[in-house]
Amino acid sequence: AQSVTQLDSQVPVFEEAPVELRCNYSSSVSVYLFWYVQYPNQGLQLLLKYLSGSTLVESINGFEAEFNKSQTSFHLRKPSVHISDTAEYFCAVSPWGAQKLVFGQGTRLTINP
Amino acid sequence: DVKVTQSSRYLVKRTGEKVFLECVQDMDHENMFWYRQDPGLGLRLIYFSYDVKMKEKGDIPEGYSVSREKKERFSLILESASTNQTSMYLCASSSPGQGAYGDSPLHFGNGTRLTVT
């Protein structure tokens, strides 16, 4: 079975500051890794994903995440956040060969002006 | 763009009522899912379906059932609603994936916030 732990339930930061949202996972098999974002009153949207290849993956809006197999982590980072990044962020894993996502508890990112 | 539509944004039902939550996707996706979202617990999988008339239990199926008579539609049924089923319910769909099974992202609806009184 798989499990995902997001280490912070809430992260407040100032606008233009850097941010890191932490995600650790546990699995006995190889997994695919995802970050989803949920803006207020909306469903979840895919932010980025790691399937294979380079361990650093990027999104179109400046977020990046690095897969670290030895530490079983997939932390999400952005060097400079904007008010529009205010949302809840979910880390998720999917075991190879099974279309079944397991989600973390979510991290609420709040941007202060 | 894939569109996943959930029929109701807000729903208020009484304890003991039978409740139907409807979800329709327009991209001919084989896979469909129902999750519930609760603060501090993230998303938990209730049921999923890989094909018409097929269903599999997720992590928290108790008190729920599902129906998939057509490929585009996946219904979640609360046989006898209880107050502990007050939650946000999210429907999602996906294709089988380009490579090994499991690499395809989910496309979510905007959710149905169900309150059971």
Side-chain angles (χ1 to χ4, degrees):
Chain A
Q2 292 72 40
S3 67
V4 179
T5 302
Q6 291 183 242
L7 297 160
D8 306 293
S9 60
Q10 295 188 57
V11 174
V13 295
F14 288 106
E15 195 171 16
E16 298 183 8
V19 70
E20 178 180 79
L21 307 183
R22 297 178 292 170
C23 172
N24 287 92
Y25 70 93
S26 171
S27 177
S28 56
V29 300
S30 295
V31 294
Y32 299 116
L33 296 150
F34 304 82
W35 276 99
Y36 283 81
V37 58
Q38 185 179 34
Y39 298 107
N41 298 314
Q42 295 185 26
L44 278 71
Q45 305 172 31
L46 179 69
L47 186 61
L48 48 75
K49 62 183 179 182
Y50 171 77
L51 304 181
S52 64
S54 171
T55 56
L56 184 66
V57 291
E58 298 177 353
S59 73
I60 58 172
N61 58 354
F63 282 93
E64 64 179 30
E66 186 159 20
F67 169 51
N68 187 319
K69 189 174 182 180
S70 63
Q71 297 187 9
T72 60
S73 69
F74 191 54
H75 301 331
L76 182 70
R77 303 183 182 94
K78 189 170 186 180
S80 175
V81 296
H82 303 285
I83 290 287
S84 59
D85 293 324
T86 296
E88 190 154 20
Y89 292 79
F90 292 91
C91 182
V93 301
S94 175
W96 286 11
Q99 178 81 89
K100 185 180 171 183
L101 275 181
V102 175
F103 285 86
Q105 302 89 333
T107 298
R108 189 170 297 279
L109 177 63
T110 306
I111 314 296
N112 298 308
Chain B
D1 259 3
V2 176
K3 189 158 186 184
V4 179
T5 304
Q6 294 184 233
S7 55
S8 303
R9 186 78 178 101
Y10 298 95
L11 214 50
V12 180
K13 296 292 181 181
R14 294 188 179 274
T15 301
E17 276 193 79
K18 190 169 186 176
V19 181
F20 293 86
L21 303 183
E22 306 288 346
C23 174
V24 177
Q25 51 95 1
D26 66 357
M27 280 301 291
D28 203 36
H29 281 170
E30 284 80 359
N31 307 324
M32 296 190 75
F33 306 81
W34 275 106
Y35 286 88
R36 65 176 281 176
Q37 180 182 8
D38 300 288
L41 297 177
L43 277 72
R44 293 178 292 167
L45 182 62
I46 305 171
Y47 266 96
F48 59 106
S49 169
Y50 290 143
D51 203 349
V52 175
K53 297 192 184 295
M54 290 182 62
K55 59 184 178 184
E56 292 198 35
K57 293 180 180 179
D59 300 317
I60 52 164
E62 295 78 20
Y64 303 94
S65 63
V66 290
S67 172
R68 193 160 181 207
E69 296 296 319
K70 293 185 178 181
K71 191 175 186 180
E72 67 271 19
R73 185 180 297 270
F74 193 36
S75 303
L76 180 68
I77 304 157
L78 285 66
E79 296 291 342
S80 177
S82 63
T83 55
N84 63 13
Q85 292 178 311
T86 291
S87 186
M88 171 70 84
Y89 290 87
L90 292 169
C91 176
S93 72
S94 71
S95 62
Q98 299 300 313
Y101 209 52
D103 64 352
S104 182
L106 268 59
H107 300 267
F108 284 87
N110 284 340
T112 295
R113 186 167 294 282
L114 173 67
T115 302
V116 182
T117 61

